[in-house]
Coordinates of all heavy atoms in Angstrom, one line a residue:
Chain O
L136 N 18.1 -6.2 -8.7 CA 17.8 -7.5 -9.0 C 17.0 -7.6 -10.3 O 17.3 -8.6 -11.1 CB 16.9 -8.1 -7.8 CG 17.1 -9.6 -7.5 CD1 18.5 -9.7 -6.9 CD2 16.1 -10.0 -6.4
G137 N 16.1 -6.7 -10.5 CA 15.3 -6.7 -11.8 C 16.3 -6.4 -13.0 O 16.0 -6.9 -14.0
A138 N 17.3 -5.5 -12.8 CA 18.2 -5.2 -13.8 C 19.0 -6.5 -14.1 O 19.3 -6.8 -15.4 CB 19.1 -4.1 -13.4
Q139 N 19.6 -7.2 -13.1 CA 20.4 -8.4 -13.4 C 19.6 -9.5 -14.1 O 20.1 -10.1 -14.9 CB 20.9 -8.9 -12.0 CG 21.9 -8.0 -11.4 CD 22.2 -8.3 -10.0 OE1 21.4 -9.0 -9.3 NE2 23.4 -7.8 -9.5
N140 N 18.3 -9.6 -13.6 CA 17.5 -10.7 -14.2 C 16.8 -10.3 -15.5 O 15.8 -11.1 -15.9 CB 16.4 -11.2 -13.2 CG 17.2 -11.8 -11.9 OD1 18.3 -12.3 -12.0 ND2 16.6 -11.7 -10.9
A141 N 17.0 -9.2 -16.1 CA 16.3 -8.7 -17.2 C 14.9 -8.7 -17.0 O 14.0 -9.1 -17.9 CB 16.7 -9.5 -18.5
A142 N 14.4 -8.3 -15.7 CA 13.1 -8.5 -15.3 C 12.5 -7.1 -15.0 O 11.6 -6.9 -14.2 CB 12.9 -9.3 -14.2
L143 N 13.1 -5.9 -15.5 CA 12.7 -4.6 -15.2 C 11.3 -4.4 -15.7 O 10.9 -4.9 -16.7 CB 13.7 -3.6 -15.7 CG 15.0 -3.6 -15.1 CD1 16.0 -2.7 -15.9 CD2 15.1 -3.1 -13.7
S144 N 10.6 -3.5 -15.0 CA 9.4 -2.9 -15.5 C 9.9 -1.6 -16.2 O 10.5 -0.8 -15.6 CB 8.4 -2.7 -14.4 OG 7.3 -2.0 -14.8
I145 N 9.5 -1.4 -17.5 CA 9.9 -0.2 -18.2 C 8.7 0.7 -18.6 O 7.7 0.1 -19.3 CB 10.7 -0.6 -19.4 CG1 11.9 -1.6 -19.0 CG2 11.4 0.6 -20.1 CD1 12.8 -2.1 -20.1
M146 N 8.7 1.9 -18.3 CA 7.6 2.8 -18.5 C 8.0 3.8 -19.6 O 8.9 4.6 -19.4 CB 7.2 3.5 -17.2 CG 6.7 2.5 -16.2 SD 6.9 3.1 -14.5 CE 8.4 2.2 -14.0
V147 N 7.4 3.8 -20.8 CA 8.0 4.5 -21.9 C 7.0 5.7 -22.4 O 5.9 5.5 -22.5 CB 8.2 3.6 -23.1 CG1 8.9 4.3 -24.2 CG2 9.0 2.3 -22.6
G148 N 7.6 6.8 -22.6 CA 7.1 8.0 -23.2 C 7.7 8.3 -24.5 O 8.9 8.2 -24.5
G149 N 7.1 8.9 -25.4 CA 7.7 9.4 -26.6 C 7.0 9.0 -27.8 O 5.9 8.4 -27.8
P150 N 7.6 9.2 -29.1 CA 7.0 8.9 -30.4 C 6.8 7.4 -30.5 O 7.7 6.6 -30.2 CB 8.0 9.4 -31.4 CG 9.0 10.2 -30.7 CD 9.0 9.9 -29.3
T151 N 5.7 7.0 -31.0 CA 5.3 5.5 -31.1 C 6.2 4.8 -32.1 O 6.6 3.7 -31.8 CB 3.9 5.2 -31.4 OG1 3.6 6.1 -32.6 CG2 2.9 5.6 -30.3
D152 N 6.6 5.5 -33.1 CA 7.5 4.8 -34.1 C 8.9 4.5 -33.5 O 9.4 3.3 -33.7 CB 7.6 5.6 -35.5 CG 8.1 7.0 -35.3 OD1 7.9 7.6 -34.2 OD2 8.8 7.5 -36.1
A153 N 9.4 5.4 -32.8 CA 10.7 5.1 -32.1 C 10.5 4.0 -31.1 O 11.4 3.1 -31.0 CB 11.2 6.4 -31.4
F154 N 9.4 4.0 -30.4 CA 9.2 2.9 -29.4 C 9.2 1.6 -30.0 O 9.7 0.6 -29.6 CB 7.8 3.2 -28.7 CG 7.4 2.1 -27.8 CD1 8.0 1.8 -26.6 CD2 6.2 1.3 -28.1 CE1 7.7 0.7 -25.8 CE2 5.8 0.3 -27.3 CZ 6.5 0.0 -26.1
E155 N 8.5 1.5 -31.2 CA 8.5 0.2 -31.9 C 9.9 -0.2 -32.4 O 10.2 -1.4 -32.3 CB 7.4 0.3 -33.1 CG 6.0 0.2 -32.5 CD 5.0 0.7 -33.5 OE1 5.2 0.9 -34.7 OE2 3.8 1.1 -33.0
R156 N 10.6 0.7 -32.9 CA 11.9 0.3 -33.4 C 12.8 -0.2 -32.3 O 13.6 -1.1 -32.6 CB 12.6 1.7 -34.0 CG 12.2 1.8 -35.5 CD 12.7 3.1 -35.9 NE 14.1 3.3 -35.9 CZ 14.7 4.5 -35.9 NH1 14.0 5.6 -36.0 NH2 16.0 4.7 -35.8
V157 N 12.7 0.4 -31.0 CA 13.7 -0.1 -30.1 C 13.1 -1.1 -29.0 O 13.8 -1.5 -28.2 CB 14.2 1.2 -29.2 CG1 14.7 2.3 -30.2 CG2 13.1 1.7 -28.4
T158 N 12.0 -1.6 -29.3 CA 11.4 -2.6 -28.5 C 12.2 -3.8 -28.2 O 12.3 -4.3 -27.0 CB 10.0 -2.9 -28.9 OG1 9.1 -1.8 -28.8 CG2 9.3 -4.1 -28.1
P159 N 13.0 -4.3 -29.2 CA 13.9 -5.5 -28.9 C 14.9 -5.1 -27.8 O 15.3 -6.0 -27.1 CB 14.6 -5.7 -30.3 CG 13.6 -5.1 -31.3 CD 12.9 -3.9 -30.7
L160 N 15.4 -3.9 -27.8 CA 16.3 -3.5 -26.7 C 15.6 -3.6 -25.3 O 16.1 -4.1 -24.4 CB 16.8 -2.1 -26.9 CG 17.6 -1.9 -28.2 CD1 18.1 -0.4 -28.3 CD2 18.8 -2.8 -28.4
F161 N 14.4 -3.0 -25.2 CA 13.7 -3.1 -23.9 C 13.5 -4.5 -23.6 O 13.6 -4.9 -22.4 CB 12.3 -2.3 -24.1 CG 12.4 -0.9 -24.2 CD1 11.5 -0.2 -25.1 CD2 13.3 -0.1 -23.5 CE1 11.6 1.2 -25.2 CE2 13.4 1.2 -23.6 CZ 12.5 1.9 -24.4
E162 N 13.1 -5.3 -24.5 CA 12.8 -6.8 -24.3 C 14.1 -7.5 -23.7 O 14.0 -8.5 -23.0 CB 12.2 -7.4 -25.5 CG 10.8 -7.0 -25.7 CD 10.2 -7.6 -26.9 OE1 10.9 -8.0 -27.8 OE2 9.0 -7.4 -27.1
A163 N 15.3 -7.0 -24.1 CA 16.5 -7.6 -23.6 C 16.8 -7.3 -22.2 O 17.6 -7.9 -21.4 CB 17.7 -7.1 -24.5
M164 N 16.2 -6.2 -21.7 CA 16.4 -5.6 -20.3 C 15.2 -5.8 -19.3 O 15.5 -5.8 -18.1 CB 16.8 -4.1 -20.4 CG 18.1 -3.9 -21.2 SD 18.5 -2.1 -21.2 CE 17.4 -1.5 -22.4
G165 N 14.0 -5.9 -19.9 CA 12.8 -5.9 -19.0 C 11.8 -6.9 -19.4 O 11.9 -7.6 -20.3
Q166 N 10.8 -7.0 -18.6 CA 9.7 -7.9 -18.7 C 8.4 -7.3 -19.0 O 7.6 -7.6 -19.9 CB 9.6 -8.8 -17.5 CG 10.5 -10.1 -17.8 CD 10.4 -11.0 -16.6 OE1 9.9 -10.7 -15.5 NE2 11.1 -12.2 -16.7
R167 N 8.1 -6.2 -18.2 CA 6.8 -5.5 -18.3 C 7.1 -4.2 -19.0 O 7.6 -3.3 -18.4 CB 6.2 -5.4 -16.9 CG 4.8 -4.7 -17.0 CD 4.4 -4.3 -15.6 NE 3.9 -5.5 -14.8 CZ 2.6 -5.7 -14.5 NH1 1.7 -4.9 -14.9 NH2 2.4 -6.8 -13.9
I168 N 6.8 -4.1 -20.3 CA 7.1 -2.9 -21.0 C 5.9 -2.2 -21.4 O 5.1 -2.8 -22.1 CB 8.0 -3.2 -22.3 CG1 9.4 -3.9 -21.8 CG2 8.2 -2.0 -23.1 CD1 9.8 -5.0 -22.7
T169 N 5.7 -0.9 -20.9 CA 4.4 -0.3 -21.1 C 4.6 1.0 -21.8 O 5.4 1.9 -21.3 CB 3.7 0.0 -19.7 OG1 3.6 -1.3 -19.0 CG2 2.2 0.4 -20.0
Y170 N 3.9 1.2 -22.9 CA 3.9 2.6 -23.6 C 2.9 3.4 -22.9 O 1.7 3.1 -22.8 CB 3.6 2.4 -25.1 CG 3.6 3.7 -25.8 CD1 4.8 4.4 -26.0 CD2 2.3 4.4 -26.0 CE1 4.8 5.6 -26.7 CE2 2.4 5.6 -26.6 CZ 3.6 6.2 -27.0 OH 3.5 7.5 -27.5
C171 N 3.3 4.5 -22.3 CA 2.5 5.4 -21.4 C 1.9 6.6 -22.1 O 1.1 7.3 -21.5 CB 3.2 5.6 -20.2 SG 3.8 4.2 -19.2

Side-chain angles (χ1 to χ4, degrees):
Chain O
L136 216 62
Q139 287 167 345
N140 300 332
L143 292 169
S144 175
I145 307 179
M146 297 154 261
V147 189
T151 50
D152 58 328
F154 173 67
E155 278 157 25
R156 272 170 60 200
V157 306
T158 292
L160 300 180
F161 290 142
E162 286 171 347
M164 296 182 282
Q166 270 174 354
R167 181 188 286 252
I168 297 141
T169 312
Y170 180 75
C171 300

